[in-house]
Amino acid sequence: MFQWLEDHLMEPLGKIAQNRYLQSIRDAFVVFALPVILTGAIFLIIANPPTSINWGIINAWANAVEPIMPQILFPFQLTFGIMALTVSFGIGYSLASRYEDMDEVMAGILSMLAFFMTAFPVVDITQVPFGEILNYLGGQGLFVAIILGILTTEGMRWFRKKGIAIKLPDSVPPYVLRTFNSILPFMVILPIVWALAWIVWANFGVTIPQLVLDLFSPLVSVSNSYWSALGMIILMLLLWSMGI
């Protein structure tokens, strides 16, 4: 069976694994998001000692952290709360690095700003508590972060490919030229994202990440079953056994 799978599935799945978009998503999680997640997880462990182990030192630890639990969990909530924001930057950066003559940092910033804009309700943001949108910057906004990371970088690449940029003399310093090469993509893509976020908010009263969550909620409920969980485990083990 495994020989049949290797003969018939290894090559197409290998090509999928070499896809630049999938590689960029992988790098965004491993290179950019993982250090942030692991750092935040340390504070979660500190705030939740294993009290099931009835040791005096563990109980003393639990009693010591209980009064300052919110303060200890602050780094955890913040690092996990901006996970999607980190991923959006990572995808833009990683995808741009796979193209020639693209500014990786500016692509990452554009992706991050575009996603950041979708997480807020299109109202007076000075009246919006940051804690209310933190979930959308974290795990609940990952899908939108991935899509926008790809689309904004491809949009920036289109400008670059078509040569649409503010032309400056060769005597201009490289760091100034770098800025002006990115101005037009920023001035076009960010207003488009803003308009889309405004349309969604005006018609549905939710942000784009929340709208996506609402649309996919039936699939989430279906996936919360024994057979779907078993199928996902089998698929992961199958791909792992073939080195993917």
Side-chain angles (χ1 to χ4, degrees):
M1 177 181 178
F2 282 102
Q3 185 62 42
W4 182 89
L5 292 173
E6 184 174 345
D7 293 339
H8 293 82
L9 294 181
M10 179 66 80
E11 184 176 352
L13 290 177
K15 291 180 179 179
I16 293 175
Q18 295 301 315
N19 182 275
R20 63 167 63 97
Y21 301 120
L22 295 180
Q23 289 181 338
S24 299
I25 295 171
R26 177 202 63 195
D27 292 347
F29 278 95
V30 175
V31 178
F32 293 89
L34 190 58
V36 177
I37 294 172
L38 292 179
T39 302
I42 293 174
F43 292 90
L44 180 64
I45 295 172
I46 294 173
N48 295 276
T51 53
S52 58
I53 304 175
N54 193 21
W55 292 356
I57 188 172
I58 298 295
N59 293 331
W61 175 4
N63 293 331
V65 300
E66 185 176 0
I68 54 173
M69 183 77 72
Q71 288 76 19
I72 295 177
L73 287 177
F74 173 79
F76 161 74
Q77 293 168 338
L78 191 60
T79 51
F80 273 71
I82 63 168
M83 177 172 55
L85 195 64
T86 308
V87 167
S88 65
F89 177 87
I91 291 175
Y93 185 98
S94 301
L95 184 57
S97 68
R98 287 171 166 79
Y99 294 121
E100 293 183 3
D101 200 24
M102 277 197 70
D103 192 324
E104 298 94 338
V105 175
M106 298 306 291
I109 292 175
L110 177 59
S111 300
M112 183 175 63
L113 287 176
F115 169 67
F116 196 59
M117 192 176 291
T118 65
F120 281 85
V122 187
V123 294
D124 182 3
I125 62 173
T126 61
Q127 305 299 320
V128 179
F130 184 70
E132 290 185 5
I133 58 100
L134 200 58
N135 287 334
Y136 302 130
L137 298 177
Q140 294 184 10
L142 275 175
F143 183 79
V144 177
I146 291 171
I147 297 301
L148 281 177
I150 293 173
L151 292 180
T152 55
T153 306
E154 287 295 338
M156 197 172 191
R157 176 175 174 251
W158 182 85
F159 276 87
R160 191 73 175 173
K161 188 176 180 180
K162 298 296 183 180
I164 303 174
I166 298 176
K167 305 298 182 181
L168 296 175
D170 295 336
S171 58
V172 174
Y175 63 89
V176 177
L177 187 63
R178 175 183 181 183
T179 301
F180 276 86
N181 283 338
S182 304
I183 285 180
L184 289 181
F186 272 70
M187 294 179 67
V188 173
I189 294 174
L190 288 181
I192 291 175
V193 175
W194 161 75
L196 182 60
W198 191 2
I199 291 171
V200 170
W201 179 259
N203 288 276
F204 302 101
V206 295
T207 61
I208 292 178
Q210 183 59 53
L211 178 64
V212 172
L213 288 174
D214 294 341
L215 292 175
F216 281 95
S217 57
L219 292 177
V220 174
S221 60
V222 170
S223 65
N224 291 330
S225 65
Y226 171 79
W227 293 109
S228 60
L230 181 62
M232 287 187 286
I233 293 173
I234 292 175
L235 179 61
M236 286 189 293
L237 292 176
L238 179 62
L239 295 176
W240 175 82
S241 67
M242 291 185 290
I244 298 175

